[in-house]
Amino acid sequence: MIDKTVSDCRQAVAMITDGSSIMLGGFGNAGMPAQLIEALREHGARNLTIISNGAGTGDYALGALVGDGKVSKVVASFPAPSATQFRERYLRGEIELELVPQGTLVERIRAAGAGLGGFYTPTGAGTELAAGKESRVINGREYLFELPIHADFVFLKAYQGDRLGNLMYRGTMRNFNMVMATAGKTVIAEVEQIVPAGGIPPEQVHTPGLFVDRVVQVARHPRLLELPKEGGAA
Amino acid sequence: MMLTRDGIAWRIARDLHEGDYVNLGVGIPVLVSNYLDRTQEIFLHSENGILGVGPRPKRDEIDLDLISAGKGFCTLSTGAAIFDQPISFAMMRGGHLSHAILGAIEVAENGDFANWKVPGEAVPGVGGAMDLAVGTPNIYVAMSHVTNKGKPKIVKTCAAPLTARQCVKRIYTDLAIIDVTAQGLVLREVMPGNDPASVQAKTEANLIVAPDWREMDVPETATNGARLRN
């Protein structure tokens, strides 16, 4: 019987070595595999390359991993002003940034997962992000050639998972998680609930289990339970 | 008279209609959502994977897994759809949205614009701006007409790093509405108390004054900071 479940996050990240490349799903706090990232901090691997939309916010999850000095390179589209740990280290020249437009980042990950050697996109043509890139005019428009991005490890966050690795997301958790699931050698999913095989209706399996190697059930990271300090809408 | 930031957003909202699929950027653009005619079905796109962003939730309505591109909690409008990043960027880059309303540092007379890298910002971030710009048929820029030092932001050639070339269709400022056309920049509407010559004086690029140019029709609350209604 296939059983991809592991008992805790520490066990799930135990095989990660120094110098690994790791993709992190999530956009904002939604779909962020924060418990796996915290376990990686404790695990201690260093000189990591992180592929993520942002560069970590504040002092938890990726922000804390960067603050620990364990990340040497970030491939991201938007290191936000709130990425304070990243900004400090970047300005001191201690961390490398490969800045990629968000749609190009997504498609480079998709290309890796789909077995493609790259693609042409109009995004970035004629801008400073085109520097050093091959370009080609197709039907009168300039496109840039972009290469796939693979990763040694992928961390995902889903709502439900089963022992087969099937995953279901809720709300806006899907974001980068579904595409990143296809692009890593070892794919580890943090879920809030493990359900029996067949427990997720087939039409609602967002990430099919063949992409996933390990599933760990863990309570939501406390920072992902926080409400705004004041009210919602005015 | 000049429009407030909310006044610019109010005026843009008047030009969005039923069946439009719209992405609102940060800054003035996101304010547009406050002034849409809610009796019309106008779908707001959020790049993290929503078509049909609703109003901000009341505190007891917050769903911790439901956020919009600004990373804040949101609700969904009736008929909303949620999807992942490849689909979201297919909508953007693939030309399936109808409008993107974006802030800008500069817009050039040929429709080039710069909005992703503020001069002096040492840590760059681009997000989805370039993808929206190359794909969306109607790129509307919302910005102040001049910088806070009085320097024109509508220029012959952008000095700031470009977001994309030749894509802006219309510029809404606190003074005017200007269309970007093959012939050049066409001045369509001017705030009361100003005229085409006074707008040109604050614009580096040459303006072609539309034969049917008119004064902008906005309520007084769009200029004085009092509460605006849609």
Side-chain angles (χ1 to χ4, degrees):
Chain A
M1 193 171 80
I2 298 170
D3 187 1
K4 297 179 178 179
T5 61
V6 293
S7 59
D8 60 30
C9 288
R10 177 184 291 193
Q11 194 187 336
V13 304
M15 79 301 290
I16 296 179
T17 53
D18 287 0
S20 295
S21 57
I22 309 176
M23 277 179 191
L24 306 179
F27 181 103
N29 280 348
M32 178 200 287
Q35 297 283 24
L36 286 172
I37 300 169
E38 295 290 355
L40 178 63
R41 284 182 71 197
E42 285 179 30
H43 169 66
R46 309 184 70 84
N47 190 26
L48 301 171
T49 294
I50 297 295
I51 300 127
S52 161
N53 189 54
T57 299
D59 58 357
Y60 65 105
L62 178 56
L65 189 71
V66 169
D68 290 349
K70 290 175 174 146
V71 178
S72 53
K73 179 177 178 182
V74 172
V75 182
S77 87
F78 194 69
S82 55
T84 49
Q85 302 284 353
F86 173 82
R87 295 172 80 88
E88 271 179 36
R89 287 181 178 268
Y90 179 78
L91 295 174
R92 289 205 302 263
E94 295 169 5
I95 193 166
E96 185 187 344
L97 171 66
E98 181 180 344
L99 188 70
V100 184
Q102 192 170 335
T104 301
L105 180 64
V106 170
E107 204 61 16
R108 289 178 66 187
I109 296 166
R110 199 189 75 80
L116 303 176
F119 58 93
Y120 286 94
T121 177
T123 305
T127 77
E128 65 179 47
L129 295 187
K133 288 183 178 161
E134 177 193 333
S135 78
R136 179 171 168 180
V137 176
I138 302 171
N139 292 330
R141 188 173 198 194
E142 187 185 1
Y143 291 76
L144 302 178
F145 183 66
E146 297 283 355
L147 291 164
I149 305 179
H150 298 266
D152 298 320
F153 297 92
V154 176
F155 289 181
L156 308 176
K157 162 74 187 275
Y159 176 55
Q160 290 184 332
D162 66 19
R163 64 174 173 81
L164 301 168
N166 292 315
L167 304 176
M168 186 189 77
Y169 307 89
R170 66 181 300 281
T172 51
M173 292 166 73
R174 293 180 206 190
N175 55 59
F176 283 83
N177 284 295
M178 286 172 64
V179 72
M180 285 181 172
T182 68
K185 287 183 199 143
T186 301
V187 177
I188 308 166
E190 165 186 337
V191 301
E192 290 177 37
Q193 296 174 6
I194 290 182
V195 300
I200 304 172
E203 301 90 337
Q204 289 167 35
V205 173
H206 298 134
T207 295
L210 94 165
F211 291 117
V212 178
D213 299 291
R214 289 178 180 74
V215 180
V216 58
Q217 176 177 305
V218 62
R220 207 175 249 262
H221 190 286
R223 294 295 293 267
L224 273 57
L225 286 166
E226 287 178 1
L227 290 170
K229 287 196 176 62
E230 286 173 23
Chain B
M1 280 196 291
M2 286 166 61
L3 289 171
T4 59
R5 288 161 58 85
D6 279 89
I8 297 172
W10 183 93
R11 178 61 190 82
I12 293 170
R14 305 282 73 75
D15 288 345
L16 296 173
H17 304 292
E18 185 139 291
D20 288 342
Y21 294 93
V22 185
N23 185 293
L24 302 176
V26 296
I28 296 169
V30 78
L31 299 173
V32 172
S33 65
N34 296 331
Y35 304 111
L36 293 172
D37 176 356
R38 292 282 175 182
T39 67
Q40 297 189 45
E41 291 189 314
I42 298 167
F43 279 80
L44 298 181
H45 173 265
S46 181
E47 68 194 29
N48 60 318
I50 303 173
L51 193 61
V53 178
R56 286 171 62 197
K58 296 190 180 73
R59 198 170 176 82
D60 59 2
E61 293 171 345
I62 288 173
D63 180 333
L64 292 168
D65 294 323
L66 204 53
I67 65 169
S68 61
K71 318 275 167 74
F73 297 112
C74 70
T75 59
L76 300 176
S77 60
T78 302
I82 287 183
F83 34 81
D84 73 342
Q85 288 289 285
I87 294 290
S88 190
F89 279 81
M91 290 178 183
M92 295 158 73
R93 196 180 44 228
H96 304 282
L97 300 176
S98 61
H99 297 76
I101 321 293
L102 301 170
I105 300 160
E106 287 174 326
V107 183
E109 60 190 2
N110 67 349
D112 289 0
F113 83 114
N115 82 342
W116 69 280
K117 199 175 188 186
V118 181
E121 170 56 71
V123 184
V126 61
M130 290 185 180
D131 301 286
L132 264 179
V134 299
T136 311
N138 294 297
I139 299 290
Y140 291 177
V141 160
M143 65 179 189
S144 59
H145 204 89
V146 298
T147 68
N148 53 17
K149 290 178 180 158
K151 197 164 170 275
K153 293 169 74 171
I154 302 170
V155 294
K156 291 185 192 303
T157 309
C158 292
L162 287 189
T163 301
R165 294 179 297 204
Q166 297 181 27
C167 59
V168 175
K169 288 287 190 297
R170 181 170 261 207
I171 308 165
Y172 293 82
T173 76
D174 42 11
L175 284 179
I177 298 174
I178 295 166
D179 281 340
V180 182
T181 73
Q183 289 69 44
L185 298 176
V186 176
L187 182 61
R188 297 278 177 208
E189 297 189 19
V190 175
M191 276 296 286
N194 301 272
D195 59 31
S198 68
V199 174
Q200 177 66 74
K202 292 179 176 175
T203 308
E204 182 195 290
N206 291 325
L207 298 177
I208 301 164
V209 180
D212 58 346
W213 77 274
R214 59 192 180 92
E215 283 199 343
M216 217 184 294
D217 181 16
V218 292
E220 201 181 330
T221 49
T223 63
N224 62 12
R227 189 175 172 83
L228 260 169
R229 296 185 187 285
N230 53 348

